[in-house]
Amino acid sequence: MGYFHSVRLEEDKCKGCTNCIKHCPTEAIRVREGKARIIQERCIDCGECIRICPNHAKIAVGDDLTALAAYRYRIALPAPAVVSQFAGQAKLEHILGALKALGFDAIYEVALAAEMVARATRRYLDNYGGKRPLISPACPAVVGLIQVRFPSLVEQILPLVTPVDLAARLARLEGMKATGLPLEAVGTFFISPCPAKITAARQPQGKRVGPDGVIPLATVYGDILKGLSSALPYPSRAGATGYGWGHSGGENASIGGRRLLEVDGIHHVIEVLTRIEAGDFQDIEYIEAQACPGGCVGGALMVQNPYLAKLELRQLVRDLPSRSMDLPVTEKDLRAEPVYPRPALQLDDDLATAIEKMRRLEATQAMLPGLDCGSCGSPSCRALAEDIVQGEAQDTDCVFVLRERVRVLAEEVVELARKLPPSMARPERGDEDAPSGNR
Amino acid sequence: MPSLKLSFPVRARDFLAGGHGAARIRQVLQQVGFPPEIIRRAAIAAYEAEMNIIIHSYGGELKAHITPGAITITAVDDGPGIPDIELAMQEGYSTAPREIQEMGFGAGMGLPNIRRCADELEIKSGAGQGTTVNIIIYNR
Ligand code: SF4
Ligand code: SF4
C-alpha cells in the first residue's frame, strides 16, 4: 500500500551530508548517489529531518490559500498551538480575526473540539479495564511511530477521534446549517503546526473524517502577522483547557486528576514506549506523548522558539474561561477508526526467509566496525547490514571494509611485483633441483 | 530449516544493563515478523530469565535459538544453583538477598512468570552446580 507523505526532499538543495539519517527515529533515510532518499513505508512525517537539515532541503508539502477556491464556504481550523506564534503581539480575538481575513468565512477553533475530546477521554478512562497505559492518539507522528516501531502497542492507543478530526466534522455541520449549502460546498482547512498532521489528513483510512485541506502555519505566518493590527476581531469560543493542548502537559491538564504521564520529543517518546513494551508503566493510566519538543508549539512548521511559544500561549489564554463544552455529538461519533501496525521494519513476509535474512544480518553486522559513522549513507552499521541483506547495499560501501580490502589487495600486488618471470628468475643457491617459477 | 542463534553475556548484579539481552531478542523477533502474542511471551520469559542470572548468580549467558516453529530461550549461569526447584516455582517464594528485594527485584515471581509464558520449561540445577533454564515457546 502506498503512503502519502508531506515530508519531501528538495534534491537540488541536498548536499548528501548525512546529518538527517542519524536523527530519523525510524531509520527511514539513506544517502545514495549524493542525495538523501526517504523510504516511504517507514516515514512517519515527524519532521525531525526538516529540523536538522542544515541546507533546508527537507520540506513539508501541504495546501496553500489557493485551495480555498474549490469551496463556497470556507472554515479555518487553527490548531491550539498556532495562536502561540502571535501571542505577545495581539489578543486571541485579533489573531483569529487576522486568520479569517486571509479568505475564510468562519473559524472553528480546534481547541473547542479538544475540550470535548478531553471530556470523552475522562469518561473512557473511568470505564476502562484493559491494558495500561492508554496512549493519546492526538499526535499522528507518535501514532505512526507506534505502528512502525512498536506494533504491539497499537491496541493501547486510545480509540477516540482526535480534536482535529472532530473539529472538521463539527465545523462542516455548523457551516452547512448556517448557509444551507450542501456538504461539498463547505471546505474545512486545518492550520497545521506539523507535517504529520498534513499526512494524517490525507491517508485513505476508510471513510473521510478529517479536514478537506491542511495549510502549514509557516506558509500563512507572514500574512497573519501583517493583518494583526488591521483585521476585525473574531470572537473565541474555546477555553483555556482547550488551548492548553497546544503545549505538552496541556492535554493531561484538561483531562485532569489521575496518574497521567506526559512526554515530549520523539526520542524521549521512544524511551517511554520501549519501557511500556517491556511491561513497565502499568500503574500509569494515560500517556500524552508528543513528538515535538514542548509539544505542538515546537512543531516543525512553527516559527517561534518552542519554549517561548509555550510561555506566550499560557499567558494568552490566562484570561479565558476554563469551561468545557457540552458534547454535540454522540458517543458513537467519537469513536476513532482502528489503527493497524505498519510492519515496515520486517525483513520479509515469509517467516523462514526472514529468519535466514536475520541470520545473515547478524553475521554481516559482526564484520562491520560498529562505529555507526554514517559514511556509507546508512544510519548505523546495523542498518547497513540490513541494507546489504536486502540487496540494497554492499559491504564495500563501508569505508573501513573497503580500506581493509584495498590493504589486502595492495599486499597481494606487492607480493606479485616481487615475482620474476621464469626466463629471468635464477634458482637460489643450494637448491638447484627445486622447481623454479610457475611451470 | 533456517535457524538463528543469538547469545548475550549477562553479568551478576548489573541492574543497569538488566533486560538488555531480552530487549534485543524482542527486537529481532519483531523484525523477523513473529505474531505479537508470541513475541510478548518470549520477551517476558527472556527478561525474567535474564534477571534471574543478574540476581542469583555469578554471571552467565542468555541465548535464543529461533526457528519458524519455535523459539527456545536458554539461560545458563554458574552460581549457587537452586537447591529446591519445586519451592522456587511457587509464587512469592524468593531467595533473593534483602537488599535486592528492597530495590524492587526478586519478588519470587520470576520462575512462575516464565512458566506462564512457556510451552515447555526445563530447569537443571542443584546446590553449587549453577542453573540452566530452558524455555520453549511454539509458534502456532
Ligand atoms: S519525517 Fe521523520 S520519519 Fe520521515 S524521514 Fe524525516 S525524520 Fe524520518
Ligand atoms: S507534537 Fe504536535 S506538532 Fe509535533 S508532530 Fe505531534 S501533532 Fe505534530
Side-chain angles (χ1 to χ4, degrees), chain A residues 240-431:
Chain A
T241 55
Y243 273 104
W245 283 58
H247 55 70
S248 66
E251 180 185 350
N252 278 352
S254 74
I255 297 168
R258 304 151 191 275
R259 272 182 80 74
L260 312 176
L261 187 85
E262 61 242 14
V263 49
D264 60 305
I266 191 106
H267 297 285
H268 297 150
V269 171
I270 289 171
E271 268 173 58
V272 168
L273 293 179
T274 306
R275 296 281 299 272
I276 299 176
E277 200 166 52
D280 286 350
F281 287 81
Q282 289 185 20
D283 60 328
I284 305 282
E285 274 194 87
Y286 188 69
I287 296 200
E288 174 199 321
Q290 287 176 301
C292 297
C296 296
V297 287
L301 303 177
M302 298 298 240
V303 176
Q304 302 288 2
N305 172 280
Y307 300 99
L308 182 65
K310 182 171 178 171
L311 171 76
E312 301 279 23
L313 181 59
R314 281 223 206 93
Q315 297 202 333
L316 183 83
V317 300
R318 212 178 27 196
D319 304 327
L320 297 184
S322 72
R323 70 190 154 214
S324 70
M325 294 283 291
D326 278 341
L327 294 177
V329 281
T330 65
E331 195 92 342
K332 205 173 111 259
D333 284 335
L334 289 165
R335 283 301 168 121
E337 303 279 308
V339 180
Y340 299 105
R342 245 167 76 185
L345 305 181
Q346 215 162 295
L347 288 174
D348 203 283
D349 290 339
D350 175 60
L351 199 56
T353 314
I355 289 175
E356 173 54 23
K357 282 185 179 173
M358 181 55 83
R359 196 184 58 71
R360 281 181 6 233
L361 196 164
E362 294 277 332
T364 308
Q365 190 193 0
M367 281 166 29
L368 297 172
L371 293 173
D372 295 341
C373 68
S375 306
C376 57
S378 300
S380 62
C381 293
R382 184 159 182 96
L384 177 65
E386 196 182 315
D387 293 345
I388 293 170
V389 166
Q390 297 292 35
E392 274 143 30
Q394 302 169 358
D395 58 353
T396 46
D397 292 349
C398 169
V399 288
F400 300 94
V401 170
L402 182 66
R403 204 159 99 166
E404 178 61 15
R405 289 274 167 86
V406 170
R407 191 185 63 78
V408 171
L409 192 64
E411 279 172 4
E412 274 172 27
V413 168
V414 169
E415 186 62 26
L416 283 175
R418 274 206 201 98
K419 292 207 159 98
L420 288 170
S423 58
M424 293 170 75
R426 285 205 201 112
E428 294 194 2
R429 266 183 0 121
D431 50 18

Side-chain angles (χ1 to χ4, degrees), chain A residues 45-46 51 138-142 193-194 196-197 290-292 295-296 298-300:
Chain A
D45 294 283
C46 64
R51 275 199 197 91
C139 173
V142 169
C194 73
K197 285 193 154 145
Q290 287 176 301
C292 297
C296 296

Side-chain angles (χ1 to χ4, degrees), chain A residues 18-26 46 48-49 52 266-267 379:
Chain A
T18 72
N19 271 305
C20 58
I21 59 177
K22 291 268 177 201
H23 288 81
C24 174
T26 55
C46 64
E48 283 296 304
C49 54
I52 200 76
I266 191 106
H267 297 285

Side-chain angles (χ1 to χ4, degrees), chain A residues 5-8 20-30 37-40 42-52 58-59 141 145 195-196 266-267 342:
Chain A
H5 284 288
S6 56
V7 174
R8 314 270 175 83
C20 58
I21 59 177
K22 291 268 177 201
H23 288 81
C24 174
T26 55
E27 296 194 325
I29 313 178
R30 299 290 184 275
R37 316 206 180 265
I38 299 175
I39 304 170
Q40 299 293 311
R42 292 188 180 192
C43 176
I44 58 172
D45 294 283
C46 64
E48 283 296 304
C49 54
I50 296 182
R51 275 199 197 91
I52 200 76
K58 295 282 197 327
I59 51 161
L145 180 73
I266 191 106
H267 297 285
R342 245 167 76 185

Side-chain angles (χ1 to χ4, degrees), chain A residues 69-129:
Chain A
Y71 301 89
R72 284 169 62 195
Y73 191 77
R74 295 78 71 104
I75 309 167
L77 316 170
V82 157
V83 301
S84 74
Q85 304 297 291
F86 310 95
Q89 308 184 53
K91 285 202 155 75
L92 183 55
E93 284 72 19
H94 290 100
I95 299 169
L96 297 180
L99 171 61
K100 178 172 179 284
L102 300 184
F104 294 101
D105 299 293
I107 288 182
Y108 194 102
E109 297 154 280
V110 174
L112 200 60
E115 288 166 16
M116 301 174 197
V117 172
R119 284 186 56 163
T121 304
R122 207 174 314 152
R123 210 161 44 202
Y124 193 92
L125 292 180
D126 280 341
N127 301 319
Y128 181 69

